[in-house]
Amino acid sequence: MPKTVIDCLVIGGGIIGASVAHQAAGRHPGWDIHLLDPRGIGSGTTASSAGLYVPFGATTEIRSLVRDGLPAFSAYRSWVADDTIRDLRFLVVLRTTARNDLLAMMTGGAAHEPTADDLDWFAHRYPECDLAGQEIIRLDGAFRVRAGELAGQLATASPNVRFVAASAQVVRRREQGWVVEHDAGTTAAARVILSVGPWMLPVLDLPAPSALDAPGRRKRVAAMHAYNAPKADDRAVYFLDDDVFLLPEPRLGYTIASFYLDRWSQPPGSGDPVPAPADQAVGRAALARRIGPAFAATCGGGRAGTDVYQPQRLPAVLALDPDSTLLFAGAGSGSGVRLAPGIATRVVGCLTAA
């Protein structure tokens, strides 16, 4: 018979919410855990994610989250479906004076000089790319994650996780725990995790910390698809100084070409899931400048969404009540996929202590 008060309700079925539900279920197999999302597991920002995992981070906290999450990613690889997570040959192009800066950001793996094969491949793959004043470094420890597929597999891997297709509207305090009103009815839960992103928060019956009210930090993110017939031995390439990366997807027939898009203050849930013409114009200009006009001409369509960037790319986990039974987990700042296991580890640690 279902419990009147479930043990844990996770609101938001993206990669962070699915990771939280999965880790909570593994740590507490006797718990009844519900995962609530109106659009399905792995939708929203997760569905548009390129899913690039790299072994470095721009801040101390991001590097810590990357390190915390690596054991979880290693465990996932032992049972998830083929090609959900795959290793990448990974090259970084950066100024010759920036090598030490990159090494200081490393969280694992190792940096090497490129092989002759790497250099030959790069010269033939991107012949227009100007490397004057630049160098190439080869990194171990990078992989690609199919974020939506992984979220779905995490959510369904544990028998004590139940998916509820509904949108949370109000979270109210009760004597012991919380009551959540949603499209499918009402759920009473001892613990509630908000992993929907600050732009989709339900109404809370307590003052929300200012960190959750950040409309000016909602950023449009976009990537185009380069139809350049990628091959199985293609490398992923990250142009560090330009914030451009190329992620080959041989199975899909294109290379994901991500670029920086300076569009902020996006309304909640705004924007098409594909780059608008204005987005594509910015992307083609950036890719032509960095890689070459011929490459930029192969680019079209793509994927786009909105993400939340907090000051110093924090916080990832917030306790919203003194007992840590209402938590916020999110604000991946464009790195939600690779930070999700580390964020989930911290959330579940808070739940254990509560």
Side-chain angles (χ1 to χ4, degrees):
M1 188 174 208
K3 296 179 181 178
T4 303
V5 180
I6 67 169
D7 298 285
C8 184
L9 174 63
V10 181
I11 302 175
I15 187 62
I16 294 177
S19 298
V20 169
H22 177 77
Q23 289 197 33
R27 184 82 65 90
H28 304 282
W31 278 13
D32 187 8
I33 299 169
H34 289 191
L35 181 58
L36 187 133
D37 194 290
R39 296 171 295 180
I41 304 300
S43 59
T45 300
T46 294
S48 62
S49 171
L52 176 64
Y53 179 99
V54 291
F56 54 80
T59 68
T60 300
E61 181 66 8
I62 288 179
R63 290 192 289 273
S64 178
L65 285 167
V66 172
R67 281 192 295 268
D68 289 351
L70 191 55
F73 269 122
S74 298
Y76 298 162
R77 300 185 74 173
S78 68
W79 60 268
V80 296
D82 290 346
D83 204 44
T84 303
I85 302 173
R86 68 175 171 87
D87 291 317
L88 290 174
R89 299 183 183 185
F90 188 69
L91 304 178
V92 179
V93 179
L94 70 167
R95 286 173 289 111
T96 55
T97 57
R99 175 188 285 252
N100 289 339
D101 293 336
L102 174 65
L103 296 179
M105 294 192 298
M106 295 284 291
T107 60
H112 309 274
E113 295 299 321
T115 65
D117 189 47
D118 290 328
L119 296 176
D120 183 64
W121 172 86
F122 189 93
H124 284 85
R125 195 56 161 143
Y126 303 114
E128 296 179 296
C129 184
D130 183 5
L131 293 179
Q134 306 274 311
E135 68 172 314
I136 298 176
I137 296 177
R138 178 169 56 91
L139 295 186
D140 296 333
F143 47 89
R144 192 274 291 121
V145 181
R146 295 197 186 284
E149 294 177 18
L150 178 60
Q153 292 172 59
L154 292 175
T156 58
S158 302
N160 55 323
V161 175
R162 174 192 168 197
F163 173 64
V164 179
S167 176
Q169 298 160 345
V170 183
V171 179
R172 303 186 187 279
R173 183 56 131 157
R174 55 176 284 164
E175 184 176 346
Q176 291 184 330
W178 305 88
V179 171
V180 178
E181 299 174 10
H182 51 76
D183 295 345
T186 300
T187 300
R191 304 160 187 86
V192 174
I193 315 301
L194 305 172
S195 60
V196 294
W199 58 87
M200 294 172 61
L201 281 174
V203 176
L204 305 178
D205 74 343
L206 74 166
S210 59
L212 296 188
D213 184 20
R217 302 187 186 107
R218 298 186 188 105
K219 184 179 180 301
R220 177 83 163 159
V221 292
M224 298 178 72
H225 294 162
Y227 294 93
N228 62 343
K231 300 178 175 58
D233 66 345
D234 272 7
R235 282 73 163 162
V237 182
Y238 181 50
F239 296 87
L240 181 66
D241 301 312
D242 305 271
D243 198 17
V244 166
F245 71 77
L246 306 177
L247 179 60
E249 286 283 14
R251 190 182 83 171
L252 301 177
Y254 54 73
T255 295
I256 297 174
S258 175
F259 54 91
Y260 180 78
L261 190 60
D262 192 19
R263 286 182 56 187
W264 297 81
S265 302
Q266 299 294 291
S270 69
D272 293 329
V274 296
D279 301 333
Q280 293 193 33
V282 171
R284 285 199 182 90
L287 296 168
R289 182 174 59 252
R290 176 62 271 187
I291 304 162
F295 175 81
T298 70
C299 296
R303 56 192 70 192
T306 302
D307 208 347
V308 173
Y309 285 65
Q310 300 286 14
Q312 299 179 333
R313 301 198 171 187
L314 299 174
V317 177
L318 279 175
L320 306 184
D321 73 313
D323 300 324
S324 295
T325 58
L326 178 64
L327 298 172
F328 169 77
S333 298
S335 302
V337 172
R338 67 190 179 113
L339 300 185
I343 290 173
T345 296
R346 296 198 181 180
V347 170
V348 173
C350 291
L351 296 178
T352 301

